[in-house]
Amino acid sequence: MAKRWTNDLAPGDVTPESHYLNRRQIMAGIAGLGLAGLAAPARAAGALEPSPWDVITQYNNFYEFGTGKDDPAKYAHALTTDPWSIRIDGMVHNPGDYALGEILSKMTMEERIYRFRCVEAWSMVVPWNGFELKDLLDLAGVKPEAKYVAMETLYRPEEMRGQRTPFIEWPYVEGLRLDEAMHPLTLMATGIYGKPLPNQNGAPLRLVVPWKYGFKSIKSIVRITLTDKEPPTSWNRAIPNEYKFYSNVNPTVDHPRWSQATERPIGGGLFAKRQPTLMFNGYEKEVASLYQGMDLRVHF
Ligand SMILES: Nc1nc2c(c(=O)[nH]1)N[C@H]1C(S)=C(S)[C@@H](COP(=O)(O)O)O[C@H]1N2
Ligand SMILES: [Mo]
């Protein structure tokens, strides 16, 4: 499979790290559009400094390990991530149980530095490693009648202590419309900062949809089902009037209990300045066309 982009930094071109990261981000931005040669999108123009490793790996939402932000880092080591396989079924030509290693051997790995915005109004910038979900769906062979992609997290209460309590209905489930799933920005992540994904961040494989609230980015995926019906999603099932299917980041549509106009960058300290939240989390140019003609106040 042809690599969409390569890191063309020369061996001597190593300093400073912030420039290095920004350079890769710009290239990822171009690759994200699949339009190498065109101008980098606006989000790549400014410096997008990744949040520190410790912040990304110690302030987590992963309710399978507890509801506190520090619970996943404390308890997720109990999760066995090898062997791991993913069932791909429903409206595909090649259904089956795919070993993770077999999938990875066929995918083109990339680094993407993305904004990450939780619905709770905090944010980070994360340097993900992974591959485009589209490539995996192409491997499975999506049938023409498929319209949505449903995903499911592992259910293993012996290792996921939070699952011993019915905090939400387990397993955690999420879904995307097929065109969202096929979008070049939609990533299946296997790492951060060039290292394997820590368990608390959703090892060994998690979804990343940078223009949607963080809860859409389902962790530790074991099943992907192609369907013609909008699939159920965990947070919609739990609190249907607060969380709907699309969950696109939108500063003009407030959560019923708080404003979504601004966000708190994690890692900046208790008194860090809140920053404005961007439409589609800053990826408007890339994804707004997916929602043309839709009322985003109704389909939030
Ligand atoms: N299976 C599962 N996936 C999940 C969650 C979860 O509780 N369980 N939390 C979601 C939420 S609310 C957010 S903000 C992100 C957090 O990802 P991070 O901990 O890697 O920053 O994971 C999402 N994916
Ligand atoms: Mo979240």
Side-chain angles (χ1 to χ4, degrees):
M1 187 176 295
K3 233 180 179 303
R4 290 192 178 76
W5 64 280
T6 50
N7 191 334
D8 67 350
L9 287 169
D13 188 12
V14 292
T15 55
E17 189 186 26
S18 61
H19 288 191
Y20 175 60
L21 291 169
N22 190 43
R23 171 85 174 266
R24 288 188 296 177
Q25 145 65 11
I26 287 166
M27 300 192 65
I30 294 166
L33 280 171
L35 300 170
L38 293 192
R43 73 199 156 86
L48 202 52
E49 205 63 40
S51 307
W53 168 267
D54 288 354
V55 167
I56 299 172
T57 62
Q58 288 174 41
Y59 187 95
N60 300 100
N61 275 337
F62 200 168
Y63 293 110
E64 283 84 342
F65 296 102
T67 54
K69 302 291 182 219
D70 53 352
D71 284 337
K74 273 195 286 206
Y75 302 119
H77 59 84
L79 177 65
T80 308
T81 59
D82 184 16
W84 194 272
S85 66
I86 294 130
R87 174 161 300 178
I88 306 183
D89 60 4
M91 296 168 169
V92 289
H93 294 293
N94 314 308
D97 291 324
Y98 290 74
L100 180 62
E102 178 197 338
I103 290 174
L104 296 184
S105 72
K106 293 178 176 140
M107 296 293 118
T108 305
M109 301 303 291
E110 302 184 35
E111 177 173 77
R112 302 280 181 90
I113 303 176
Y114 283 159
R115 290 190 192 85
F116 186 86
R117 170 57 158 87
C118 177
V119 75
E120 299 162 336
W122 52 262
S123 66
M124 298 181 188
V125 174
V126 185
W128 303 103
N129 309 99
F131 55 88
E132 289 182 14
L133 173 57
K134 175 188 189 300
D135 291 342
L136 179 56
L137 295 177
D138 286 345
L139 189 73
V142 177
K143 290 187 174 173
E145 59 268 32
K147 295 190 176 73
Y148 295 90
V149 182
M151 298 193 195
E152 203 174 291
T153 293
L154 176 72
Y155 178 70
R156 193 183 285 160
E158 318 87 83
E159 296 184 0
M160 300 174 120
R161 67 202 314 269
Q163 288 180 336
R164 297 170 208 161
T165 310
F167 176 71
I168 57 169
E169 195 181 324
W170 308 111
Y172 194 101
V173 291
E174 257 305 337
L176 296 172
R177 215 172 55 192
L178 186 59
D179 58 346
E180 299 176 320
M182 289 293 201
H183 193 280
L185 286 178
T186 303
L187 203 69
M188 290 296 257
T190 57
I192 48 175
Y193 274 110
K195 295 177 206 157
L197 211 53
N199 286 0
Q200 59 265 36
N201 292 88
L205 189 68
R206 62 92 58 85
L207 180 67
V208 179
V209 195
W211 71 93
K212 293 180 179 282
Y213 291 118
F215 63 84
K216 296 294 287 185
S217 295
I218 179 173
K219 294 175 167 181
S220 305
I221 296 164
V222 291
R223 186 172 181 187
I224 299 174
T225 306
L226 278 290
T227 164
D228 58 359
K229 288 178 195 66
E230 188 182 285
T233 63
S234 280
W235 287 103
N236 176 257
R237 225 159 40 181
I239 322 179
N241 64 311
E242 296 189 359
Y243 307 106
K244 299 226 182 290
F245 180 77
Y246 285 93
S247 306
N248 292 315
V249 175
N250 188 339
T252 71
V253 177
D254 287 339
H255 187 280
R257 291 181 280 135
W258 58 84
S259 165
Q260 294 291 27
T262 63
E263 64 201 42
R264 182 172 55 98
I266 299 298
L270 200 56
F271 302 104
K273 241 185 103 191
R274 295 184 75 89
Q275 61 191 35
T277 289
L278 303 173
M279 186 64 200
F280 293 113
N281 204 24
Y283 303 98
E284 185 170 15
K285 242 196 248 170
E286 292 91 334
V287 302
S289 63
L290 297 176
Y291 308 103
Q292 233 160 29
M294 274 176 64
D295 185 343
L296 299 178
R297 308 199 135 267
V298 177
H299 300 281
F300 59 84

